[in-house]
Amino acid sequence: VQPHVKKCFEAIKTLEMLPPGRDGRKAHEAVAMNSPDGEYVPLSDHVVCAGPVETWLKGVETSMRGTLSKLLFGCYSDMRKTKKEKWIKEWAGQLALTSGQIEWTSGCTKALNDAEKGNKHALRSMKKKQVSLLSKFSDMVRGNLGKVDRQKVVAIITIEVHGRDVIDRMAKAGCQSVNDFEWLLQLRFYWETGDNLCVVRQTNTKAAYGYEYLGNNGRLVITPLTDRCYTTLTTALHLRRGGLPQGPAGTGKTETVKDLSKALAKTCIVFNCSDGLDY
């Protein structure tokens, strides 16, 4: 099955297997995921690979989601305690990115609530924080980093730069409440404490974070047009409909949809139906 695993999952190139025979194992056991870019994530629950393939592959999927859910909680709580340099090296890129977005959302929410109470400089001080965070990351990129860590930091910078621009835009527009449209338009990541799950909201929609393992495959720079596409697509999904980005070839329609699926950590399957395919 190993050669085909990467077709079934977004970013699992191979599964780390333990052979049968040792420690009382009767069949192969999957213990970790390897992504195409060389990241290694151990699974919290080992999956016994015996019986029908579709059954244990479903087990791998469940284990992948459970693992990422636990790790995201650990990564987010670890974020405030450890130094950024150490923190990035310890956790998987996807978790570091999402934790950063949850932190950004809670920071902005707090700043907007302060602004509502009459603190005029709340958003400005939030922007200063964001800028100092960005300069920390850019110093890291200039430093000595391994290939995987570098990819992580580049993806994080891409998203955090957009975060800075959003804060800037809100400050200029004079946003003073969590219900201002400029803020509701954004893709916002919340941590629901009761269920320990991550939830993504935009406008009036709410989607559970998908916990699909994505490896470190880089993110797109988010332009105002990308934001508009996201808003339309999340609303369409919320209404149980489909979305249809239109435009000339090579402008990034597919990539935008793929990037949205990365943001929500859901599997994205691309079908290419051109007239050249006749089978």
Side-chain angles (χ1 to χ4, degrees):
V1 179
Q2 288 280 27
H4 306 292
V5 171
K6 67 171 184 286
K7 303 242 175 66
C8 304
F9 294 96
E10 198 78 12
I12 302 180
K13 190 184 181 189
T14 52
L15 289 164
E16 180 109 349
M17 298 279 198
L18 291 179
R22 287 193 199 146
D23 309 331
R25 276 190 298 275
K26 288 179 181 158
H28 279 85
E29 269 186 28
V31 292
M33 311 179 276
N34 290 314
S35 78
D37 46 56
E39 194 171 61
Y40 172 89
V41 178
L43 292 168
S44 55
D45 306 319
H46 293 183
V47 183
V48 179
C49 303
V53 176
E54 59 274 19
T55 315
W56 63 259
L57 272 179
K58 225 172 163 61
V60 169
E61 185 184 18
T62 313
S63 176
M64 164 184 80
R65 294 205 165 133
T67 302
L68 287 182
S69 174
K70 281 178 196 157
L71 287 176
L72 184 60
F73 180 63
C75 181
Y76 183 52
S77 29
D78 199 30
M79 183 180 186
R80 295 170 181 183
K81 296 176 207 158
T82 41
K83 276 190 153 175
K84 284 278 179 284
E85 291 81 357
K86 190 177 167 222
W87 176 71
I88 278 192
K89 283 177 181 153
E90 276 179 13
W91 298 94
Q94 176 186 357
L95 303 169
L97 231 163
T98 310
S99 301
Q101 285 176 291
I102 298 173
E103 182 67 21
W104 173 81
T105 306
S106 71
C108 285
T109 311
K110 189 170 168 290
L112 285 166
N113 285 331
D114 287 353
E116 202 171 356
K117 287 173 193 159
N119 177 359
K120 287 180 185 170
H121 305 296
L123 278 171
R124 272 191 212 148
S125 57
M126 176 69 197
K127 189 190 166 193
K128 270 183 195 155
K129 245 191 226 164
Q130 190 74 3
V131 170
S132 73
L133 181 73
L134 272 168
S135 53
K136 239 185 221 169
F137 283 134
S138 55
D139 288 345
M140 278 177 75
V141 169
R142 290 196 201 107
N144 243 337
L145 281 178
K147 190 183 164 199
V148 177
D149 288 337
R150 185 171 293 278
Q151 280 173 321
K152 278 185 211 174
V153 180
V154 167
I156 291 175
I157 288 178
T158 309
I159 298 295
E160 297 291 358
V161 161
H162 174 248
R164 182 202 62 193
D165 295 347
V166 168
I167 298 170
D168 205 27
R169 220 178 314 153
M170 290 197 300
K172 280 179 184 155
C175 289
Q176 285 179 348
S177 150
V178 195
N179 299 322
D180 274 357
F181 193 57
E182 189 66 50
W183 172 239
L184 293 178
L185 273 180
Q186 305 309 323
L187 209 54
R188 314 185 300 284
F189 289 70
Y190 294 96
W191 187 260
E192 302 230 321
T193 19
D195 314 328
N196 274 351
L197 288 175
C198 173
V199 175
V200 187
R201 297 172 190 269
Q202 189 171 26
T203 56
N204 59 347
T205 68
K206 171 182 169 181
Y209 189 72
Y211 293 113
E212 175 80 25
Y213 179 54
L214 301 169
N216 269 326
N217 43 16
R219 295 291 293 273
L220 291 183
V221 174
I222 302 173
T223 63
L225 183 61
T226 321
D227 265 338
R228 204 171 291 176
C229 291
Y230 283 2
T231 315
T232 317
L233 290 169
T234 48
T235 312
L237 285 172
H238 176 67
L239 299 170
R240 301 274 190 285
R241 298 185 177 201
L244 188 72
Q246 269 182 326
T251 45
K253 299 180 292 293
T254 316
E255 285 305 319
T256 303
V257 177
K258 273 162 72 177
D259 205 58
L260 177 63
S261 84
K262 278 181 202 168
L264 301 175
K266 299 214 186 296
T267 329
C268 175
I269 301 168
V270 180
F271 295 96
N272 230 333
C273 315
S274 62
D275 42 14
L277 297 172
D278 54 356
Y279 47 81

